[in-house]
Amino acid sequence: MGRAMGLAGLLLGLVVVPAVLVSTSLRHGAPRTEAEPSGWELATDTVPEDSLWPLPQQVLTYPRQLQLAPSRFQLVHGPGSSAGPGCGLLQDAFRRYYEYMFGHSWRRTRGPRPLAARAEPELLQLQVVIEAGDPGCDRHPQPTSSEAYYLTVTEPVAILKASEVWGALRGLETFSQLVHEDDYGSFLVNESEINDFPRFAHRGVLLDTSRHYLPLKSILTNLDAMAFNKFNVLHWHIVDDQSFPYQSMYFPELSDKGAYSSNLIYTPTDVRLVIEYARLRGIRVIPEFDTPGHTQSWGKGQKDLLTPCYNGRQPTGSFGPVNPVWNTTYDFMTKFFKEISSVFPDEFIHLGGDEVDFTCWKSNPEVKEFMKKQGFGNNYAKLESYYVQNILDIVSSYNKGQMVWQEVFDHKARLKPDTVVQVWMANNYAHELSSVTGAGFTAVLSAPWYLDYISYGQDWKKYYSVEPLNFPGSEKQKKLLIGGEACLWGEFVDATNLTPRLWPRASAVGERLWSSSNVTNLQDAYKRLTNHRCRMLSRGIAAEPVFVGYCAHEAR
Amino acid sequence: AENEPSWETPCTELHVYVSTPGCDGFPSLDSKESYKLSVSRGSMLLSAETIWGALRGLETFSQLVGRDENGTYYINETEIVDFPRFPHRGLLLDTSRHYLPLRAILETLDVMAYNKFNVFHWHIVDDPSFPYESSTFPELSKQGAFNAMTHVYTASDVRTVIEYARLRGIRVIAEFDTPGHTLSWGPGAPGLLTPCYMGKAPSGVYGPINPIVNSTYQFVTSLFQEVSTVFPDFFLHLGGDEVDFTCWKSNPEIRAFMMEVGFGEDYKKLESFYIQRLLNIVSSLGKGYIVWQEVFDNDVKLRPDTIIHVWKENTLQYLKEMANVTRAGYRALLSAPWYLNRISYGQDWIAAYEVEPLNFEGSPEQKALVIGGEACMWGEYVDVTNLTPRLW
């Protein structure tokens, strides 16, 4: 999915390449006008907020600093919390965030406070207090989960309050961003008060594991990076035309015949691992099984699923989209989505529905016959909608909500009231947002955030400058835009270049979706983003540079 | 069984025959890299005039060896006669915009060898940082590196790079770009850069190297004396690109000098004045030099064996430049269509592949002056996190 690869993509590539060669101000590297203010000078008077990403809704920091001793500082459950030591999710997070904050410090041996310590008072603990009766420790994050938190950093203990564990995870990330080292290696944090919650509830990253297989490690590393940026949805575009790496229980032939090779698959264990790893970071995993188009690889392992294309009366031997006229198709989908519904715990499944090429359907005599019978005339969009509606019904019957690409809405399929429409076509997407929300459907925005479309220079700025609610519509409509997704389609991406291509460019999208709409200053963002990027490096994420400069802890 | 391939007797040895003695030297522009590879029943022979050809042949041989689905290694009977079309096939890395750890440079040299590149153009210092530890002027990196303890190339590092490259038949051509692109030189060499003026008072900002004071030429002589010893290749790249005249124009002493020597308002003449003196210094040190095209474009008087590096890209104007440079009798290096730092979506390797360096109007003698080209990976947006997948 994405853009129709093939002709359109090739044309795009051909247009873009000469455009680059025609640039006027040709200098060695970036033109001088791109010079950032002190782009590579180490700021001596850094302010604590200089390091926060995304910027919280309300931040108050005070000049008074507190010291943290790695050997004594603890992340603990606070009194009155509905979560305790039995809350595996928080226990795991405590260990993880301790490591992020003090990990590379060698002075972690136990011991009393040395006499020649700094004068500042010591911060002994961060107490985490979950306030809701059911903290959510053993649940999966859902669209309605609360991610708000309230953080006060003051001596002798800092307090992190959140309704549910998801907010605590967000707060821990922020706290870890406040802790900094001074010139002597002492850990300090400014007294602060932070009140934070996300502007949009759906903040996702799309990964495509069909155009190129992504090893598990790649996916897990990416989940780490997502957590550092407060993303909360992994949209796993797991199969497509080129390969089918998902190992299905009911239909093992799908990956046996459809994967690139027998080792380039995701076993049920792999899938469980991704889901759990994500859960521990407050990230939902929404799988996408895109049909009826983008399904070439399904046909390898499932005979008679795809439409045979015809040349006159003869089958050509090639296949098109899923065959919408055979009952066997819906028998298959019923069984297949039963499995998917049980394997993936999220409330939603993405059903795709994009870029269906009608040519093959039009060539097939049975399909043509069916069109006549149904009275669809020559309108194949109606056939597509007929198919999609059936799939929506099937998936609904398993109590799952559905996400679809915009074509499904554009071609007027009858959607369920809670179907989420993902707007991806760049041309006039504001208009599309108006249409979708105007018709009463929830929308997720991806159109301006196709990060696979690389270009020279600081393109993070253009992602950052998107204002999702800039479309004509009422207050009520705007509430229906629940968030967005940064998409990294896989035509030119695999484990060799995934991380630097995605980060920190996706960070720009992350802040746009979390922070307040008035956080738009590019100079301030540049400062914070470069700091944030260095921090990601120190946490093992090979995020690429924003511009000229360096990090104290370079990539390993 | 019926379908088994008929394996011939296994070949156990590749014989490598080099006709010109000498394993301990450095590759040069004139090095012969031709080789012949002959694989037949019971005999595998790689013969080359020099060790450099042998290296190229070994790479090719390693690409011919296949492995079947049983894991058996095999090679087809083969006859190969090979030599490079252009003798200078380079790659530029920029270690000033971002520091590149040694391992990134060494890894790049490995991949260069897989691709038969033979020149590593080390754009080692520039405006943002000065990572080169100079023994003559230690303050340059002390004050000019991003971090003088961690983001520097020690003398040992430099030796490591040179030897690692040599073992792969790769020349290391260092570029110390002047008089522009030198901001990082300022802190460690007070008085070297031109103080810019705002009206009658210095603004506190600095510009290119100050071409009118003798101390500049003393400094340059000493520095290049060191650089000439450290880097064994015959050629040094002296830069000379993108000199911004604004600061020179603002400085009253320089304006006075311009009047004195009769340059008037033509600052290209001042740039020439500096460059000519630099070229003389470097020549007297027994080195040849490569300069960016501005030096040629601005009518600096050059020695006939100067190599001009063509980099400006403006709707295929570079082909005109290639014609001009070679018509004037200078050798040319092409980089303009190969700025790999300028990324774009899709299979952009195709555009780079389709470049034909000799597609300009000129006589065969002119075209013979094109000695090759260089892919450039400028470092504004590149460091060790993304260097390798961006380059290869």
Side-chain angles (χ1 to χ4, degrees):
Chain A
M1 169 22 224
R3 320 122 264 87
M5 266 323 284
L7 187 59
L10 181 62
L11 285 176
L12 181 62
L14 288 174
V15 161
V16 170
V17 168
V20 168
L21 296 179
V22 172
S23 45
T24 46
S25 149
L26 274 314
R27 332 241 342 160
H28 282 170
R32 221 155 264 200
T33 46
E34 259 214 80
E36 294 296 346
S38 52
W40 55 80
E41 288 146 36
L42 199 46
T44 42
D45 300 307
T46 41
V47 179
E49 297 93 328
D50 280 353
S51 194
L52 296 177
W53 194 282
L55 193 68
Q57 300 291 338
Q58 286 165 27
V59 184
L60 280 170
T61 54
Y62 302 96
R64 188 156 177 259
Q65 294 187 321
L66 308 171
Q67 259 193 106
L68 296 87
S71 59
R72 287 185 295 276
F73 178 79
Q74 293 189 317
L75 298 161
V76 298
H77 301 282
S81 176
S82 60
C87 179
L89 181 142
L90 283 182
Q91 292 297 129
D92 210 75
F94 291 166
R95 180 177 61 179
R96 202 163 66 240
Y97 276 97
Y98 177 92
E99 190 70 30
Y100 291 144
M101 290 189 286
F102 308 116
H104 49 267
S105 158
W106 52 272
R107 286 163 293 111
R108 290 199 287 158
T109 48
R110 300 215 155 276
R113 198 172 177 196
L115 293 168
R118 280 179 73 122
E120 285 83 353
E122 190 172 321
L123 182 70
L124 288 166
Q125 285 183 342
L126 170 67
Q127 293 180 350
V128 177
V129 179
I130 308 299
E131 298 181 307
D134 176 7
C137 287
D138 300 317
R139 301 198 189 293
H140 288 88
Q142 293 300 352
T144 47
S145 295
S146 165
E147 295 175 280
Y149 65 91
Y150 181 66
L151 177 64
T152 30
V153 180
T154 184
E155 71 150 324
V157 298
I159 309 215
L160 169 58
K161 284 204 186 116
S163 177
E164 297 175 352
V165 292
W166 321 113
L169 290 175
R170 305 299 169 237
L172 281 168
E173 176 58 42
T174 302
F175 179 76
S176 76
Q177 297 187 0
L178 289 168
V179 175
H180 55 278
E181 272 182 75
D182 72 359
D183 285 349
Y184 300 92
S186 299
F187 294 96
L188 301 169
V189 64
N190 285 58
E191 286 196 321
S192 357
E193 215 179 299
I194 293 184
N195 195 353
D196 200 11
F197 54 87
R199 180 181 174 201
F200 291 103
H202 184 118
R203 308 177 306 282
V205 169
L206 179 151
L207 287 186
D208 167 1
T209 57
S210 174
R211 276 58 180 265
H212 285 95
Y213 179 79
L214 294 177
L216 211 55
K217 177 153 153 223
S218 226
I219 300 177
L220 301 183
T221 301
N222 198 61
L223 287 167
D224 280 333
M226 285 170 67
F228 302 153
N229 290 269
K230 294 191 170 71
F231 277 95
N232 67 354
V233 172
L234 172 65
H235 173 166
W236 192 352
H237 186 90
I238 187 169
V239 299
D240 202 299
D241 281 329
Q242 287 82 354
S243 75
F244 196 106
Y246 172 77
Q247 189 174 57
S248 159
M249 239 184 341
Y250 291 157
F251 302 99
E253 297 263 286
L254 286 171
S255 61
D256 277 353
K257 301 266 162 61
Y260 277 137
S261 79
S262 46
N263 58 325
L264 299 181
I265 57 169
Y266 302 108
T267 63
T269 308
D270 291 338
V271 174
R272 275 196 293 273
L273 181 52
V274 169
I275 293 171
E276 178 61 5
Y277 199 90
R279 188 188 80 85
L280 292 175
R281 286 152 183 74
I283 298 171
R284 301 165 52 199
V285 177
I286 301 182
E288 177 184 349
F289 288 90
D290 191 353
T291 69
H294 287 278
T295 44
Q296 289 296 298
S297 66
W298 299 51
K300 306 254 167 38
Q302 186 68 17
K303 291 280 160 282
D304 302 330
L305 177 67
L306 304 183
T307 312
C309 310
Y310 274 69
N311 197 346
R313 288 185 208 259
Q314 295 303 329
T316 63
S318 60
F319 298 88
V322 169
N323 195 322
V325 317
W326 288 340
N327 286 334
T328 48
T329 292
Y330 302 104
D331 295 336
F332 167 82
M333 291 296 172
T334 301
K335 202 159 175 215
F336 184 76
F337 278 104
K338 180 167 185 215
E339 172 183 326
I340 301 307
S341 300
S342 76
V343 167
F344 292 90
D346 198 81
E347 283 173 18
F348 280 79
I349 298 179
H350 200 302
L351 303 175
D354 62 304
E355 298 181 317
V356 183
D357 185 346
F358 296 149
T359 324
C360 186
W361 282 352
K362 286 181 180 170
S363 76
N364 182 297
E366 272 184 79
V367 174
K368 284 199 290 230
E369 183 59 43
F370 184 83
M371 287 288 286
K372 232 188 286 185
K373 259 199 340 221
Q374 294 284 327
F376 289 159
N378 207 27
N379 189 350
Y380 281 78
K382 289 199 166 136
L383 180 59
E384 176 195 286
S385 296
Y386 166 86
Y387 167 85
V388 168
Q389 273 151 209
N390 282 333
I391 304 302
L392 293 178
D393 284 342
I394 289 169
V395 171
S396 259
S397 73
Y398 296 125
N399 283 322
K400 293 289 191 185
Q402 311 92 35
M403 271 184 81
V404 292
W405 295 108
Q406 68 181 75
E407 287 97 317
V408 172
F409 167 83
D410 296 342
H411 294 167
K412 307 201 196 321
R414 215 173 27 247
L415 306 175
K416 309 286 175 204
D418 60 348
T419 306
V420 179
V421 177
Q422 189 161 7
V423 174
W424 70 272
M425 292 174 160
N427 203 356
N428 210 354
Y429 67 83
H431 180 256
E432 180 75 4
L433 286 176
S434 295
S435 303
V436 170
T437 55
F441 294 105
T442 332
V444 159
L445 179 61
S446 281
W449 291 321
Y450 264 35
L451 301 197
D452 55 321
Y453 281 160
I454 57 170
S455 58
Y456 179 69
Q458 291 193 53
D459 58 356
W460 70 271
K461 292 184 183 176
K462 86 173 169 218
Y463 302 132
Y464 191 77
S465 302
V466 171
E467 173 37 66
L469 296 186
N470 253 4
F471 64 91
S474 64
E475 276 301 298
K476 197 163 157 225
Q477 267 176 269
K478 306 228 168 168
K479 284 204 170 62
L480 290 173
L481 179 57
I482 57 168
E485 291 187 359
C487 297
L488 193 71
W489 294 103
E491 283 84 353
F492 303 101
V493 174
D494 72 3
T496 60
N497 62 355
L498 178 97
T499 303
R501 188 161 290 195
L502 195 50
W503 309 100
R505 291 157 78 229
S507 302
V509 181
E511 176 154 301
R512 182 52 50 233
L513 291 173
W514 178 282
S515 303
S516 163
S517 61
N518 59 17
V519 178
T520 53
N521 183 297
L522 285 172
Q523 267 92 316
D524 181 67
Y526 175 86
K527 207 167 16 157
R528 287 183 295 106
L529 186 59
T530 46
N531 287 334
H532 182 58
R533 182 254 171 180
C534 287
R535 180 173 45 233
M536 287 199 277
L537 275 197
S538 72
R539 294 182 182 183
I541 305 297
E544 64 175 14
V546 177
F547 192 53
V548 172
Y550 76 106
C551 296
H553 304 281
E554 293 287 7
R556 276 169 253 117
Chain B
E2 259 180 47
N3 293 328
E4 264 181 28
S6 62
W7 297 112
E8 300 287 351
T9 34
C11 330
T12 53
E13 289 175 346
L14 171 69
H15 287 233
V16 181
Y17 178 79
V18 175
S19 54
T20 317
C23 283
D24 301 326
F26 285 90
S28 74
L29 181 57
D30 310 310
S31 294
K32 301 261 186 300
E33 297 175 278
S34 56
Y35 66 91
K36 284 200 177 82
L37 188 56
S38 184
V39 176
S40 61
R41 179 188 316 205
S43 145
M44 301 194 293
L45 177 63
L46 164 59
S47 59
E49 237 187 276
T50 68
I51 47 171
W52 317 117
L55 289 176
R56 303 298 168 236
L58 280 169
E59 175 58 43
T60 301
F61 179 79
S62 75
Q63 295 185 7
L64 289 168
V65 176
R67 210 168 177 194
D68 71 8
E69 63 268 11
N70 297 323
T72 308
Y73 293 97
Y74 68 88
I75 185 168
N76 285 54
E77 284 197 351
T78 316
E79 290 292 320
I80 291 184
V81 173
D82 199 11
F83 54 88
R85 180 182 175 200
F86 292 105
H88 182 122
R89 305 178 307 282
L91 192 80
L92 178 151
L93 286 186
D94 167 2
T95 56
S96 175
R97 275 58 180 263
H98 285 96
Y99 179 77
L100 291 175
L102 201 60
R103 69 176 170 91
I105 300 179
L106 301 183
E107 182 178 276
T108 302
L109 290 168
D110 278 334
V111 192
M112 282 171 68
Y114 305 155
N115 290 269
K116 295 192 169 72
F117 278 95
N118 67 354
V119 174
F120 170 41
H121 174 166
W122 194 349
H123 187 90
I124 188 168
V125 298
D126 202 299
D127 281 329
S129 76
F130 196 106
Y132 171 76
E133 269 189 359
S134 161
S135 51
T136 323
F137 300 105
E139 288 299 304
L140 285 173
S141 62
K142 275 224 190 100
Q143 308 277 347
F146 281 138
N147 178 315
M149 291 290 100
T150 54
H151 290 57
V152 287
Y153 301 109
T154 61
S156 160
D157 289 339
V158 174
R159 278 196 298 272
T160 303
V161 170
I162 292 172
E163 178 62 4
Y164 201 89
R166 187 187 79 84
L167 291 174
R168 287 152 183 75
I170 297 170
R171 303 161 54 200
V172 179
I173 299 183
E175 178 184 350
F176 284 85
D177 191 352
T178 69
H181 287 278
T182 45
L183 283 181
S184 68
W185 302 43
L192 178 68
L193 303 183
T194 309
C196 312
Y197 273 66
M198 186 90 98
K200 296 212 199 248
S203 64
V205 171
Y206 292 87
I209 287 186
N210 192 331
I212 69 171
V213 288
N214 281 333
S215 51
T216 287
Y217 301 100
Q218 280 157 11
F219 171 87
V220 162
T221 304
S222 302
L223 179 66
F224 278 95
Q225 216 151 32
E226 173 187 322
V227 169
S228 299
T229 330
V230 168
F231 292 93
D233 199 84
F234 175 69
F235 286 92
L236 285 176
H237 199 302
L238 303 178
D241 61 308
E242 296 181 316
V243 183
D244 186 347
F245 297 147
T246 325
C247 186
W248 282 351
K249 286 182 183 170
S250 77
N251 183 298
E253 283 176 43
I254 292 192
R255 280 203 306 270
F257 178 86
M258 290 288 284
M259 287 303 146
E260 234 178 81
V261 296
F263 288 164
E265 293 290 318
D266 189 355
Y267 282 80
K268 282 199 194 158
K269 296 208 165 101
L270 183 59
E271 182 190 20
S272 288
F273 173 82
Y274 167 84
I275 301 258
Q276 258 146 226
R277 290 181 73 168
L278 172 65
L279 297 184
N280 289 339
I281 290 168
V282 172
S283 293
S284 70
L285 292 168
K287 292 290 197 190
Y289 39 75
I290 310 175
V291 289
W292 296 109
Q293 69 179 75
E294 285 97 317
V295 174
F296 168 80
D297 296 342
N298 293 349
D299 296 315
V300 178
K301 217 176 15 250
L302 301 169
R303 280 156 62 110
D305 59 354
T306 312
I307 298 178
I308 310 292
H309 200 157
V310 177
W311 70 271
K312 286 182 168 181
E313 180 22 341
N314 206 336
T315 37
L316 304 178
Q317 288 288 62
Y318 70 83
L319 289 169
K320 282 219 181 87
E321 181 76 1
M322 295 291 279
N324 292 341
V325 167
T326 51
R327 195 180 320 114
Y330 298 106
R331 284 175 294 180
L333 271 181
L334 181 60
S335 280
W338 291 325
Y339 264 37
L340 303 191
N341 55 311
R342 292 198 149 256
I343 57 172
S344 58
Y345 178 71
Q347 293 195 55
D348 55 356
W349 69 272
I350 296 177
Y353 192 78
E354 287 179 335
V355 171
E356 175 36 68
L358 302 186
N359 241 8
F360 58 89
E361 304 268 311
S363 66
E365 292 76 34
Q366 262 180 270
K367 304 215 172 177
L369 291 173
V370 178
I371 58 169
E374 292 188 358
C376 296
M377 185 49 78
W378 293 103
E380 281 83 355
Y381 304 100
V382 174
D383 75 359
V384 69
T385 58
N386 61 355
L387 174 74
T388 300
R390 189 160 291 197
L391 206 40
W392 307 104

